[in-house]
Amino acid sequence: MKTDIFPMRHLGVTPHQEYGQDESDVVVDRLAAIAEEHFDLERIIGLMAQRRFSPIPIPTDAGSAKPVTSTKAVRIGVLRDAAFQFYYQENLEALQEGGAELVMINALTAEALPEDLNALYIGGGFPETSARQLADNVSFRDSVRQAAEQGLPIYAECGGLIFLGRSIILDGTEYPLAGVFPVTFSMSAKPQAHGYSAFTVEQENPFYPLGTQVKGHEFRYSVVESWDGGPKDLALQMERGTGFQEKRDGLVKNNVLALYTHVLAPGTPEWAAGLLRAAAG
């Protein structure tokens, strides 16, 4: 059992995906006990029942953007497990509202990607804490690399970017990854990027039109140890934030775009539109 109710590490609270069911039950029970001891629950429930609060004002232009809809039924794979767990729910909902069927995939246990995917979305997370399992799952890594080589649209951010690299070095041990991009990563004890970011799309890529301006955020401790490329090969110019190298971000290969910046779908409608368009072919 974990001794702390919410154990911490370099990016914050240890995610629930890494708890066993027994540990999760202990956490819930402890939180319930704390609430019962320190909160006036009857008073809180009473206030909620009386609805003595003002609704949050909605801007008059909210929801004015037309919903993005795929021209055909598409299946988009989403790596979601202990290694890849950072996803805005709004992003997943935007894809579903656009007509996509989302297929959740465990990169630690699946033997390969499903054969009938139209695209793949790899979000952020902690590939470094599951590096050995990811490395040991050779068949899955191979299937991702082969899918990228065969032209499957793949959008990867932060942890997903790392997974598409060649390897990651942790405590002197090098763990092989998917090998889509010739990049070797390591981890620093200090943040390498943390805060809001913004970029402009300057090169062709599978998802964003040229000139698109995107705002998002970065939060990472990973370091680019080596890369068989240079800043001129990166598709995005950072106006704010760190990016991958020398204020640029966005590795592109075939129909793959991998970057450090996380985006939120409601604030960047081009994101869902681009992924759905790429998936529809």
Side-chain angles (χ1 to χ4, degrees), residues 9 17 43 74 106 119 133-135 180 186 212 214 228 242 271:
R9 62 169 178 241
Q17 291 90 342
R43 178 64 172 159
V74 295
N106 189 321
Q133 290 171 279
L134 291 170
V180 175
S186 66
T212 302
V214 175
D228 300 343
T242 303
W271 175 82

Side-chain angles (χ1 to χ4, degrees), residues 5-6 24-39 41:
I5 189 168
F6 287 127
S24 297
D25 291 343
V26 170
V27 169
V28 171
D29 290 344
R30 289 188 62 186
L31 288 175
I34 290 171
E36 289 177 350
E37 180 180 356
H38 297 284
F39 299 166
L41 295 179

Side-chain angles (χ1 to χ4, degrees), residues 242-262:
T242 303
F244 183 85
Q245 188 179 85
E246 296 186 18
K247 300 289 286 187
R248 296 190 70 85
D249 204 349
L251 287 82
V252 179
K253 180 179 180 180
N254 298 334
N255 288 323
V256 181
L257 174 64
L259 65 163
Y260 266 123
T261 289
H262 297 270

Side-chain angles (χ1 to χ4, degrees), residues 195-199 214-218 238-243 260-262:
Y196 292 120
S197 59
F199 63 75
V214 175
K215 294 180 180 180
H217 85 274
E218 301 169 303
M238 304 296 297
E239 275 79 46
R240 179 175 181 175
T242 303
Y260 266 123
T261 289
H262 297 270

Side-chain angles (χ1 to χ4, degrees), residues 14-92:
T14 301
H16 73 88
Q17 291 90 342
E18 298 180 36
Y19 282 73
Q21 184 59 52
D22 291 342
E23 294 173 311
S24 297
D25 291 343
V26 170
V27 169
V28 171
D29 290 344
R30 289 188 62 186
L31 288 175
I34 290 171
E36 289 177 350
E37 180 180 356
H38 297 284
F39 299 166
D40 187 344
L41 295 179
E42 291 186 4
R43 178 64 172 159
I44 292 173
I45 293 171
L47 290 173
M48 292 174 63
Q50 296 173 26
R51 297 179 62 85
R52 290 183 177 176
F53 53 84
S54 300
I56 299 175
I58 300 175
T60 56
D61 60 347
S64 60
K66 294 182 179 180
V68 178
T69 304
S70 174
T71 56
K72 69 175 187 179
V74 295
R75 286 167 54 87
I76 298 178
V78 180
L79 299 194
R80 201 164 193 186
D81 46 49
F84 306 103
Q85 51 202 235
F86 184 87
Y87 292 94
Y88 288 121
Q89 183 62 28
E90 293 90 339
N91 288 21
L92 302 179

Side-chain angles (χ1 to χ4, degrees), residues 62-222:
S64 60
K66 294 182 179 180
V68 178
T69 304
S70 174
T71 56
K72 69 175 187 179
V74 295
R75 286 167 54 87
I76 298 178
V78 180
L79 299 194
R80 201 164 193 186
D81 46 49
F84 306 103
Q85 51 202 235
F86 184 87
Y87 292 94
Y88 288 121
Q89 183 62 28
E90 293 90 339
N91 288 21
L92 302 179
E93 291 174 357
L95 297 176
Q96 291 174 315
E97 290 168 0
E101 176 189 354
L102 301 186
V103 181
M104 300 301 163
I105 304 166
N106 189 321
L108 305 178
T109 60
E111 293 185 0
L113 289 175
E115 295 182 355
D116 56 351
L117 294 182
N118 302 109
L120 179 64
Y121 175 28
I122 314 177
F126 301 97
E128 66 274 14
T129 65
S130 300
R132 182 174 297 280
Q133 290 171 279
L134 291 170
D136 288 346
N137 197 353
V138 177
S139 63
F140 186 81
R141 293 191 288 108
D142 288 347
S143 76
V144 173
R145 184 177 64 256
Q146 291 166 6
E149 293 173 350
Q150 294 167 4
L152 181 71
I154 302 176
Y155 189 99
E157 52 192 12
C158 203
L161 160 65
I162 293 174
F163 179 62
L164 295 184
R166 175 170 49 207
S167 61
I168 185 169
I169 300 172
L170 301 170
D171 297 326
T173 299
E174 186 168 2
Y175 298 92
L177 298 172
V180 175
F181 296 104
V183 186
T184 294
F185 297 91
S186 66
M187 299 297 293
S188 171
K190 297 180 179 180
Q192 299 301 295
H194 186 194
Y196 292 120
S197 59
F199 63 75
T200 299
V201 179
E202 293 191 342
Q203 296 182 22
E204 296 288 345
N205 69 93
F207 304 103
Y208 293 114
L210 292 175
T212 302
Q213 296 181 319
V214 175
K215 294 180 180 180
H217 85 274
E218 301 169 303
F219 189 13
R220 64 178 174 94
Y221 282 67
S222 62

